[in-house]
Amino acid sequence: MEYDFDTILDRRHTNSEKWDVKPNELPMTTADMDFKTAPEIMAAMKKKIDSGAFGYEYPNEEYFNAVASWYKTEHNAEADTSWMRFATGVIPSITACVNYLSHEGDNVLLMEPVYNTFYNSILNSGRHAFPTQLKYDQSTYTYSVDWDDLEEKMSNPLTTLMILCNPHNPTGYVWSRDELIRIIKLAQKYGIIVISDEIHGDLVLTGPDYTPTFSLPEDCRQNVVTLVSTSKTFNVAALHAATGIVPNPLLREHFTRAINKYEVAEPNLLAIPGTIAAYTQGADWLHQLKQYLLGNRKYLEKFIRTNLPQLHVVPGTATYLVWIDVSAVTNNSTALAQKIREQTGLIINPGTYYHGNGSQFIRINIAYPRSQVKDGLERLVAALNQ
Ligand SMILES: Cc1ncc(COP(=O)(O)O)c(C=O)c1O
């Protein structure tokens, strides 16, 4: 079956966070997609709605088998279903872990620039966001780990947790297996637990696949909580469903306590059927989606090379979020984003949201029908050439 990614959705007045904007505005911001989810997922949800039975639920065996077989077929990664726990989202799980697995005043390590909501989980819990800066190479527009600084930050006795974004939002970088092993082994040396947020793992558009951390060699996964979800993959963020995969039995007990204590362990009425349908029937839809997103990304790269050569696209291979170096134009991406919005109605995320060197970057979401991507880029060029 061929799926439709070209039809523009009218998401105004649908409670969409992203689309609560003025009539002429085009928001290319929050990480959800302007495509309908897979029809197979909608059918499973409709069936559930039609049953009319909406009492308390638990995640059944079929749910965990669906997660396990998805990771086996999509990523060649084995996970025992006994390692898995259901949770109502990746961020709720992270917040629960920060609260349960660390103490007030502890340092939680991050690699900046990074997904902004991590700071909420850390700061609202009275912990310190403790960043190591990814090293930026201005000749290749790529980032890499500053290993000396990472180790120095890990060796601080107050550092007890690290939140890893695998693949990385906003750069779209896919960590190699060797890099993951090196990060996790270093964390072990200093007694640090690594929370690996793998919500973008299914969205590697080209090149080598991402490595699920639960599938690393046994000695490299003892201090790791892996968090996965269909949320980004199938555009079902409001489903509020995620899975924690924790191979170490003791850490798994702690994770279980954490999500129960913070009451983020119980599914809503659509979470189980929606997730099972996604993982068991959604592969074709996802493979076509990735081709479409890759086409959007190539279109954007060519458009920027041709029309905005002063900008540089950071060459990430994962996510539908594009991280663009605007340092030739500004040192203040917040002001730039505001100017673009006022002049053209295009809304993009200023890189400042993501800390680190983000003041010289913008982030654009390209998970839209191509005609809207074109519209957005034409607005961008109009604003920057004024
Ligand atoms: C890296 C990352 N983690 C987590 C989330 C949100 O996860 P959830 O909706 O499951 O809480 C996002 C959404 O943009 C994200 O980019």
Side-chain angles (χ1 to χ4, degrees):
M1 173 174 174
E2 201 167 317
Y3 298 100
D4 172 20
F5 301 105
D6 283 322
T7 302
I8 292 180
L9 299 185
D10 183 4
R11 297 181 64 199
R12 291 173 195 276
H13 315 297
T14 61
N15 302 331
S16 159
E17 267 184 30
K18 191 162 69 179
W19 279 96
D20 185 18
V21 296
K22 293 190 194 125
N24 70 322
E25 289 185 326
L26 173 61
M28 299 183 82
T29 49
T30 310
D32 62 25
M33 303 196 271
D34 272 52
F35 306 122
K36 280 190 184 176
T37 191
E40 294 80 359
I41 298 175
M42 289 192 278
M45 290 183 180
K46 279 181 190 147
K47 190 172 162 206
K48 175 72 183 188
I49 297 281
D50 288 343
S51 81
F54 304 147
Y56 295 108
E57 299 196 10
Y58 63 91
N60 57 8
E61 221 181 296
E62 197 188 345
Y63 173 92
F64 295 115
N65 287 337
V67 180
S69 83
W70 177 263
Y71 278 86
K72 177 75 192 132
T73 51
E74 284 296 309
H75 304 291
N76 196 23
E78 307 261 3
D80 196 302
T81 53
S82 69
W83 301 349
M84 300 177 188
R85 296 290 179 269
F86 173 87
T88 58
V90 168
I91 289 297
S93 305
I94 291 176
T95 302
C97 285
V98 167
N99 279 279
Y100 200 86
L101 301 176
S102 73
H103 294 99
E104 229 170 87
D106 281 4
N107 294 329
V108 180
L109 190 55
L110 297 167
M111 295 200 282
E112 290 185 350
V114 75
Y115 175 53
N116 48 322
T117 307
F118 292 161
Y119 297 89
N120 300 352
S121 300
I122 298 168
L123 301 179
N124 291 340
S125 309
R127 274 66 169 167
H128 298 292
F130 198 51
T132 176
Q133 301 303 317
L134 291 170
K135 274 195 292 197
Y136 184 57
D137 180 341
Q138 196 124 30
S139 61
T140 55
Y141 311 108
T142 55
Y143 288 87
S144 58
V145 177
D146 180 341
W147 293 102
D148 291 338
D149 188 64
L150 179 70
E151 178 152 11
E152 196 191 311
K153 298 281 155 59
M154 284 186 170
S155 68
N156 185 309
L158 284 179
T159 309
T160 47
L161 274 187
M162 173 175 187
I163 305 176
L164 177 70
C165 196
N166 171 36
H168 197 78
N169 173 8
T171 63
Y173 183 70
V174 177
W175 303 107
S176 72
R177 188 182 157 85
D178 288 349
E179 285 168 326
L180 290 172
I181 290 178
R182 192 166 166 191
I183 292 168
I184 291 166
K185 283 277 177 192
L186 259 187
Q188 279 177 5
K189 181 171 164 192
Y190 296 102
I192 294 166
I193 293 170
V194 177
I195 313 294
S196 184
D197 174 342
E198 306 189 356
I199 201 165
H200 293 282
D202 292 322
L203 291 166
V204 179
L205 306 183
T206 181
D209 193 15
Y210 108 103
T211 305
T213 45
F214 61 77
S215 70
L216 292 172
E218 200 172 347
D219 63 322
C220 301
R221 57 188 190 211
Q222 295 308 317
N223 57 330
V224 180
V225 172
T226 307
L227 299 170
V228 301
S229 173
T230 53
S231 162
K232 302 290 152 193
T233 315
F234 293 99
N235 202 30
V236 289
L239 190 59
H240 294 294
T243 307
I245 307 179
V246 193
N248 176 329
L250 186 59
L251 185 56
R252 186 161 65 244
E253 272 313 304
H254 289 306
F255 179 73
T256 309
R257 294 301 334 137
I259 58 174
N260 277 281
K261 177 171 177 185
Y262 292 94
E263 299 292 359
V264 294
E266 283 173 26
N268 67 65
L269 76 159
L270 298 177
I272 302 302
T275 305
I276 292 173
Y279 281 148
T280 58
Q281 301 172 60
D284 281 355
W285 184 90
L286 175 65
H287 300 157
Q288 289 180 36
L289 169 82
K290 290 204 287 185
Q291 282 310 307
Y292 194 90
L293 292 174
L294 185 60
N296 279 358
R297 186 165 173 117
K298 285 187 174 153
Y299 180 86
L300 173 139
E301 286 172 352
K302 187 164 172 215
F303 184 98
I304 288 189
R305 264 197 316 275
T306 313
N307 300 292
L308 292 165
Q310 67 276 38
L311 307 193
H312 299 284
V313 178
V314 168
T317 55
T319 81
Y320 46 74
L321 306 163
V322 187
W323 187 239
I324 302 175
D325 181 331
V326 292
S327 58
V329 178
T330 188
N331 268 326
N332 182 349
S333 57
T334 305
L336 180 69
Q338 201 175 340
K339 171 184 141 170
I340 294 169
R341 181 172 187 171
E342 281 163 10
Q343 291 181 346
T344 69
L346 172 66
I347 313 175
I348 42 123
N349 290 125
T352 39
Y353 284 9
Y354 311 95
H355 299 240
N357 67 346
S359 61
Q360 299 185 345
F361 291 80
I362 54 173
R363 195 191 80 167
I364 301 188
N365 179 343
I366 55 163
Y368 293 77
R370 192 139 322 142
S371 56
Q372 278 180 309
V373 173
K374 288 182 186 168
D375 180 6
L377 288 171
E378 275 153 21
R379 293 182 197 221
L380 186 67
V381 86
L384 290 181
N385 287 343
Q386 258 174 39

